[in-house]
Amino acid sequence: VEQSYIMIKPDGVQRGLVGEIISRFEKKGFKLTGLKLFQCPQELAEEHYKDLQSKPFFPKLIQYITSGPVVCMAWEGVGVVASARKLIGATNPLQAEPGTIRGDLAVQTGRNVIHGSDSPENGKREIDLWFKEGELC
Ligand code: ATP
Ligand code: MG
């Protein structure tokens, strides 16, 4: 089954958006198979975002993701990766459609509340990276 790694970033946790965000995925109908609150170490943040290593904003991105606890989630279902990206909305919240999570709940690219895997391959890679085997149902 297709899986997506979804993560509520530190600003989303700090602003009290955890329930609202989980609710949107539950209502859509995907299956939650992993869930934890977690303080991300620097090395894990760097590994997760390794494709963006050469970007000028990379150090700030790592600082952001490690600035407080995140909520790590594994969701599964047919088409979950693309569907989650639609629920999440564009990377820049000012360009994200109303009705999407970023469109409704954020204004800055550097504080855009949530991560979603960009391919089924990365969904699997990221779930393996963030969860231990016994943590998934
Ligand atoms: P994510 O991977 O977190 O779901 P995304 O796939 O929409 O987001 P990516 O291009 O993978 O976007 O960028 C990863 C994250 O890096 C973005 O969500 C954002 O937090 C940050 N980011 C991307 N571009 C910029 C930028 N130009 N300035 C600052 N931060 C950025
Ligand atoms: Mg991405």
Side-chain angles (χ1 to χ4, degrees):
V1 192
E2 189 172 308
Q3 294 175 304
S4 184
Y5 177 65
I6 304 294
M7 176 169 71
I8 305 174
K9 296 177 179 179
D11 55 324
V13 175
Q14 207 269 326
R15 291 173 56 206
L17 301 175
V18 172
E20 154 104 34
I21 290 172
I22 292 178
S23 196
R24 293 189 181 204
F25 285 88
E26 285 185 316
K27 286 179 193 161
K28 177 70 180 170
F30 292 115
K31 183 181 172 199
L32 183 63
T33 59
L35 174 67
K36 66 179 175 185
L37 186 66
F38 181 65
Q39 174 62 54
C40 173
Q42 172 142 346
E43 311 75 59
L44 178 56
E46 287 171 354
E47 177 64 24
H48 174 79
Y49 280 124
K50 67 179 177 192
D51 291 352
L52 301 174
Q53 228 158 21
S54 61
K55 303 282 185 189
F57 58 82
F58 186 74
K60 277 221 158 127
L61 175 58
I62 300 308
Q63 197 178 38
Y64 165 43
I65 294 301
T66 59
S67 67
V70 296
V71 171
C72 309
M73 294 180 276
W75 288 90
E76 73 174 36
V78 175
V80 66
V81 167
S83 178
R85 299 275 294 184
K86 277 193 181 167
L87 290 174
I88 288 170
T91 305
N92 180 345
L94 294 181
Q95 277 151 25
E97 294 294 329
T100 66
I101 292 167
R102 287 170 177 163
D104 290 346
L105 304 174
V107 290
Q108 289 179 58
T109 303
R111 299 213 149 264
N112 61 0
V113 169
I114 185 167
H115 161 80
S117 305
D118 61 10
S119 68
E121 296 69 38
N122 277 333
K124 192 189 171 341
R125 176 184 86 86
E126 292 169 2
I127 287 169
D128 288 348
L129 187 63
W130 288 85
F131 286 99
K132 297 171 195 159
E133 224 174 80
E135 292 177 332
L136 297 166
C137 291

